[in-house]
Amino acid sequence: MRLDDARALLIGGGQVAANKLRLLLGRCHDIAVLGAISDPEITQAVASGRVTHLGDAIELESVRTLLPQMRLVFAATDEFDLNREIAALARAAGVAICVVDDQEPSTFITPAIIDRTPVQIAISTNGAAPVLARRLRTQIEALLPDGLSRLARFMQAQRSWIKKTQPDTLIRRRAWENFVDGRGAEQALRGEEGAARKSLEDALNAVPRQGEVWLVGAGPGDPDLLTLAALRLMSNADSVLYDQLIPPAIMDRVRRDAERVFVGKKRSHHILPQDNINEELIRRAKAGERVLRLKGGDPFIFGRGGEEMEALVDAGVTVRVIPGITAASGCGAASGIPLTHRDCAQSCIFVTGHARADGTLNLDWPSLAKKGQTLAIYMGLSPMADLCAQLQAHGLPADWPAAVIEHGTRADQRVHVATLGTLPALVAERGVVSPALTLVGEVVNHRREIHQF
Ligand code: SAH
């Protein structure tokens, strides 16, 4: 809220009021205090002429007449009901009101502030835990470099010439990012303005004119399982193409200004065919964008990331691939089922249950229906009955262990343990929904109850 041309009214004269006065001093054009003053800080502010004392008595009628001149009011008396009455008046008059330690009638709250003008960081717990907010402030303060104000002022001073030199917003932003991540920022922090300016010019000239595509594995769904590289690229992207495997908790970590394009495919209901996705990626990269292609799990495991990479590289686009935790690893860890085990599983096969156009599965059943190994079946939910039947037809017993991990690693994860004979009925009965991963093999018997990460 702009205050340098505003009048503020502080009602109350004790220590609680003094805390709020400190926020206003030096920020607010004109400050008035109403109420008997007991706090020495307020006494001093009045004596020095920085604050006007309007009198000891707090009459609601006089508050009402004062309100139209005020932009904001703090009700900081030690009487709960009086504060609320003041709040009601202020609200009726359309004036911003903060009742100290009483959020319900307030129209604004005061956060803990880190002030390194022009950089300001406000920390709020929405009134729930002011002590926590102050503790966080201390922790964040400790992370901030000393010359932060100086750096921000330097950057501000460069804006007009850089805008004239380079009209393209994308290129300017990229140059700024390189500057902030690099030597230039260090120089500006130390106040070496000439050197910093040179670094900024270099950064501006070094920006590549072409965009890139980043094929990034987002893991199985829990944002804690993102890699540092994924997070870094997520916060730098100009646009993001994503599908239904990416939950909102992960999308929340993508740069807020990045354009979001949903290219999701639901089975047998293609929203955007693969060719169109490839074309879109190529078009955007050629227009200079840094495009984040966010894919569930690992981009190179059943995600058609390979096809996208081929199309992009063949079209001359720069591609980076960031691996992710694939569903099998994530689901194994989150359900307490190891994927291999010295006693019973010397190998683990990742296999897709995605049916061909005619609805049948085309898998090498004799090699899958073996003991001594684990099957991790992706996209195996709808062909579940066929899968379990084929594995038995090719030699695995009906009581062979099998499990389905539904929404693995997510808050609503469910684990369904059964056998090849009973799994299809269990999955139907429990209404299991996608995404779900099927694990087949004796490793399922080694499952233990473990704690989530
Ligand atoms: N590239 C992804 C797989 C894409 S195929 C990866 O590496 O994980 C989509 C299939 O992955 C789904 O049908 C499901 O079988 C599996 N899958 C993805 N995320 C999952 C999750 N959180 N829990 C269970 N299975 C998941």
Side-chain angles (χ1 to χ4, degrees), residues 47-240:
S48 68
R50 292 192 292 165
V51 170
T52 319
H53 188 213
L54 301 176
D56 286 357
I58 304 172
E59 310 276 1
L60 286 177
E61 208 34 59
S62 53
V63 171
R64 195 201 305 274
T65 43
L66 285 167
L67 282 172
Q69 320 156 25
M70 300 299 168
R71 189 164 302 161
L72 76 163
V73 176
F74 282 103
T77 77
D78 46 20
E79 289 173 53
F80 181 85
D81 292 336
L82 178 58
N83 283 344
R84 288 220 158 177
E85 279 167 327
I86 294 168
L89 288 179
R91 294 176 71 136
V95 179
I97 168 81
C98 172
V99 180
V100 179
D101 291 336
D102 187 7
Q103 210 191 327
E104 206 274 319
S106 302
T107 61
F108 73 98
I109 53 177
T110 52
I113 297 170
I114 298 172
D115 189 0
R116 305 278 188 93
T117 307
V119 179
Q120 297 200 59
I121 302 172
I123 302 145
S124 162
T125 57
N126 225 2
V131 172
L132 177 62
R134 286 195 285 275
R135 181 58 47 86
L136 288 172
R137 176 176 59 190
T138 313
Q139 290 171 346
I140 295 172
E141 283 269 18
L143 296 174
L144 301 178
D146 267 348
L148 188 59
S149 286
R150 203 186 277 150
L151 170 61
R153 286 207 191 89
F154 172 83
M155 291 176 70
Q156 185 172 34
Q158 314 305 313
R159 287 175 68 103
S160 66
W161 75 260
I162 201 172
K163 205 163 181 169
K164 270 184 226 128
T165 322
Q166 179 49 264
D168 187 328
T169 347
L170 269 183
I171 295 180
R172 281 205 308 272
R173 202 183 69 231
R174 219 151 298 165
W176 278 124
E177 282 168 1
N178 292 343
F179 171 82
V180 164
D181 291 340
R183 220 175 28 168
E186 294 289 331
Q187 293 159 334
L189 282 170
R190 288 195 299 264
E192 298 163 9
E193 301 217 344
R197 162 90 184 224
K198 175 80 176 54
S199 298
L200 181 57
E201 283 163 7
D202 292 347
L204 204 55
N205 293 328
V207 172
R209 305 286 136 170
Q210 248 231 29
E212 301 188 351
V213 174
W214 303 328
L215 292 177
V216 174
D222 181 341
D224 268 0
L225 297 178
L226 287 165
T227 62
L228 294 176
L231 264 184
R232 178 164 48 79
L233 296 183
M234 284 162 71
S235 56
N236 282 335
D238 299 312
S239 54
V240 50

Side-chain angles (χ1 to χ4, degrees), residues 4 55 84 93 102 172 193 201-202 289 293 340 352 357 400 433:
D4 59 353
R84 288 220 158 177
D102 187 7
R172 281 205 308 272
E193 301 217 344
E201 283 163 7
D202 292 347
E289 288 182 25
R293 175 66 174 114
T340 66
T352 169
W400 193 244
V433 290

